[in-house]
Amino acid sequence: MDVNDPHPRGHPVVRLPLSSPRSHMSTREVASTSADEPDTASDKRSIILVFVGLMITMLLASLDQMIFSTALPTIVGELNGVNHMVWVTTAYILASTIMMPVYGKMGDLIGRKGLFIGAISIFIVGSVIGGLSHDMTTLIAGRAVQGLGGGGLILLSQAIIADVVPARQRGRYMGAMGGVFALASVAGPLLGGWFTEGIGWRWAFWINVPLGLLAIASASAFLHLPKPKLGKPSIDYLGMILVATSATCLILFTTWGGNTYDWDSAVIIGLIIGSIVSAIGFVMVERRATEPVIPMHLFSERNFVLTTTAGLIIGIAMFGALAYLPTYIQMVTGKNATEAGLMMIPMMAGLLVSSIGSGQIVSKTGRYKAFPIVGTSIVAVSLVLLSRLTPSTSLVVFGIYIAIMGVGLGLVMQILILIVQNTFPAAEVGTATASNNFFRQIGASLGSAIVGSLFASRLSNLLAERLPAGGGGVGGEENSLTPGILWKLPDQIREIIVGAYNDALAPIFMYLVPLVVAAVILLLFVKEKPLATTIDRSAAPIE
């Protein structure tokens, strides 16, 4: 027996406490069930029903992160808010990031089912606000409310899988979840384009309502999970406030710095100080809290530190690149929103194949370390290739570049979560998963904010330098410039603007390469511990 294995073989295990005859066994009987026993037909049906519900929720959350990529140019043009474009993405990511540690810790303390249904409900409310918006302020507010619920959707889905499936078997399920993200990476931009050109971009919000209600119905009917031990939980309110404050200040100064405000302005300096002071205060509070929202002992585990840091870097690269590629396609190649969505299919195919394939291999062999190392290296290669894009680059070549990125991401994303979950017992799996996702989302926020700010600033400067006096027919309306307007301009002016879009975005991809190379180096030091074949948890009642 490996003394470093957090879930040693032979430890008592909860099998699949779902809506099956086994759910009515005593907690002692359930707790002593071996993970190596064959499943009953009822067990299989139960986990399939639960997994389908989780997949719907994953699709809901993943679609919402991608659906605005093709609709965004038209939305901000209609609402006269190109200068606020970055906030449509950042507001969602920031709100969801703040809520992740809260959902993770509260799920461990009070159970996940009620939180799961509540998160979906909040997400639906935000979708209604966004669907009814007629200005950028309301639109961004709707996205923020969506984020408050969305922070729990993917996170709780991942934690629920850990509640019912041992780590050794979990690879295939995590791979399928990665496949859902792959599907959303294409279906989202495609739906966004189709809505924009057809029934209207507001359906990018309205589609969430029926999907959300279906997810709630599925969770209510089929989701039966172990409850934590009874007793009044100790809630770390101060820790939650401090981590939210630090994350908010961090995202604001990276979004505004050098763009809305000078880096040496009082606002930016104040935000930097606020982020640092809040972070220090958070660490001090967590060291003393009875139930810390992010326990400091997590950072004593080498695998957690390495995979979490690598995940943060992958978040920066992934969202920094993917958030703006569909906009790039529309503005540089002249493709409409639907065609821009279709152009993301190669990335989906690469991610789908590598995510599901790696998950199956991990479940069969129990070996996993090589996948994130190889995958992160492939992501670095794809960023180098994307930095070489020009307006004359063929769409076939572009498709190859993003397919390579998809393959890399599929080998990394879910495996890092699996490593984290295998490091800690079931009683902490929600907190550990949330903490890892929190830092990955911090990376996503930084990636979207930094790339978006650099892109907007570079684009503004290039247009000012290259357009003739008077705007060359644009008439100072660059802030409301949509793909439809751009491709109606005279050829000479359009070529200047297209060149500016390309030169503003493509070189930024190269800036991300050293970060991703650093992630590869970190992952080399991950210790490959045996994947647990049981779920290490004390007996618990079923909710």
Side-chain angles (χ1 to χ4, degrees):
M1 181 176 67
D2 183 357
V3 295
N4 293 316
D5 186 357
H7 317 300
R9 291 167 176 76
H11 197 287
V13 59
V14 174
R15 179 66 177 148
L16 295 174
L18 307 170
S19 55
S20 68
R22 194 168 292 196
S23 297
H24 303 293
M25 297 162 55
S26 71
T27 55
R28 180 178 298 276
E29 290 174 315
V30 175
S32 63
T33 304
S34 169
D36 297 324
E37 288 182 8
D39 290 339
T40 66
S42 182
D43 281 335
K44 292 178 179 178
R45 285 194 300 269
S46 296
I47 195 169
I48 288 172
L49 289 172
V50 169
F51 191 62
V52 167
L54 296 180
M55 295 281 274
I56 293 172
T57 307
M58 290 283 290
L59 180 63
L60 183 69
S62 300
L63 272 179
D64 199 73
Q65 293 187 36
M66 304 303 298
I67 200 168
F68 290 94
S69 55
T70 45
L72 197 55
T74 299
I75 293 173
V76 297
E78 287 186 9
L79 299 181
N80 193 32
V82 171
N83 56 330
H84 298 300
M85 179 172 65
V86 67
W87 278 104
V88 180
T89 301
T90 303
Y92 178 90
I93 296 176
L94 176 58
S96 63
T97 300
I98 290 170
M99 291 301 297
M100 276 187 173
V102 178
Y103 282 117
K105 188 64 183 184
M106 294 302 292
D108 285 343
L109 290 176
I110 66 174
R112 297 188 227 285
K113 181 175 179 178
L115 283 176
F116 190 56
I117 293 173
I120 299 172
S121 302
I122 295 171
F123 186 85
I124 293 174
V125 171
S127 298
V128 172
I129 295 172
L132 296 174
S133 62
H134 291 280
D135 55 62
M136 286 297 291
T137 300
T138 308
L139 178 74
I140 293 170
R143 291 287 285 160
V145 174
Q146 279 186 310
L148 295 177
L153 301 187
I154 294 178
L155 166 67
L156 291 172
S157 296
Q158 293 171 337
I160 287 168
I161 284 296
D163 277 336
V164 297
V165 180
R168 179 61 183 268
Q169 301 176 22
R170 205 176 302 151
R172 61 175 63 97
Y173 294 98
M174 301 295 278
M177 286 183 166
V180 170
F181 182 84
L183 175 63
S185 69
V186 171
L190 187 58
L191 283 172
W194 183 61
F195 291 152
T196 299
E197 296 174 353
I199 57 180
W201 58 262
R202 297 180 190 281
W203 277 92
F205 288 101
W206 295 128
I207 191 176
N208 296 325
V209 176
L211 283 176
L213 293 175
L214 181 61
I216 289 174
S218 175
S220 299
F222 305 122
L223 193 57
H224 302 279
L225 300 175
K227 285 184 179 180
K229 295 179 180 180
L230 298 177
K232 185 177 180 180
S234 175
I235 309 299
D236 181 18
Y237 293 109
L238 182 55
M240 293 176 183
I241 292 171
L242 287 171
V243 74
T245 302
S246 182
T248 300
C249 290
L250 176 66
I251 303 307
L252 287 178
F253 88 71
T254 54
T255 302
W256 288 343
N259 187 15
T260 305
Y261 301 97
D262 293 333
W263 284 107
D264 59 354
S265 68
V267 172
I268 297 302
I269 293 174
L271 288 171
I272 293 173
I273 294 173
S275 181
I276 295 172
V277 171
S278 298
I280 294 173
F282 173 72
V283 172
M284 295 174 64
V285 168
E286 298 304 272
R287 292 173 66 90
R288 298 174 179 271
T290 303
E291 292 288 352
V293 65
I294 301 181
M296 292 297 103
H297 75 81
L298 298 181
F299 297 94
S300 65
E301 291 286 347
R302 181 173 72 180
N303 278 3
F304 177 80
V305 173
L306 294 173
T307 56
T308 297
T309 305
L312 185 149
I313 292 172
I314 291 297
I316 292 174
M318 179 173 68
F319 281 89
L322 299 185
Y324 298 97
L325 280 177
T327 296
Y328 173 90
I329 295 171
Q330 293 178 72
M331 301 299 285
V332 173
T333 71
K335 299 297 180 182
N336 60 36
T338 301
E339 292 169 334
L342 289 171
M343 279 303 302
M344 302 302 291
I345 286 179
M347 194 202 76
M348 177 275 286
L351 202 158
L352 184 66
V353 171
S354 63
S355 179
I356 294 177
S358 61
Q360 292 290 334
I361 294 171
V362 168
S363 288
K364 289 180 180 179
T365 66
R367 307 303 296 270
Y368 53 84
K369 180 177 178 178
F371 291 107
I373 294 172
V374 173
T376 307
S377 301
I378 293 173
V379 171
V381 171
S382 71
L383 288 170
V384 173
L385 295 174
L386 288 171
S387 72
R388 300 171 64 86
L389 289 173
T390 68
S392 61
T393 300
S394 74
L395 294 179
V396 173
V397 171
F398 175 84
I400 293 172
Y401 290 174
I402 62 173
I404 292 171
M405 173 170 278
V407 170
L409 292 174
L411 294 174
V412 177
M413 294 168 54
Q414 302 304 321
I415 302 299
L416 293 184
I417 294 293
L418 179 62
I419 294 171
V420 169
Q421 292 183 343
N422 190 56
T423 304
F424 301 98
E428 287 190 310
V429 73
T431 299
T433 303
S435 300
N436 181 269
N437 274 281
F438 171 75
F439 287 103
R440 183 184 297 185
Q441 283 293 88
I442 287 288
S445 301
L446 290 174
S448 296
I450 293 172
V451 172
S453 296
L454 284 173
F455 179 37
S457 177
R458 287 168 58 89
L459 179 61
S460 178
N461 292 335
L462 289 173
L463 289 176
E465 293 173 3
R466 298 179 182 181
L467 284 174
V474 180
E477 295 298 323
E478 294 91 342
N479 198 41
S480 300
L481 194 62
T482 66
I485 294 174
L486 171 63
W487 287 87
K488 292 178 182 178
L489 293 174
D491 291 347
Q492 183 179 3
I493 300 302
R494 184 179 67 247
E495 289 175 3
I496 291 174
I497 297 175
V498 166
Y501 262 85
N502 182 87
D503 296 345
L505 183 62
I508 297 176
F509 296 133
M510 183 59 78
Y511 302 164
L512 300 174
V513 173
L515 275 176
V516 178
V517 171
V520 175
I521 295 172
L522 289 173
L523 290 171
L524 291 171
F525 295 95
V526 167
K527 183 175 182 180
E528 191 171 42
K529 299 179 180 180
L531 291 174
T533 58
T534 62
I535 303 175
D536 179 16
R537 139 172 81 225
S538 300
I542 305 302
E543 62 177 347

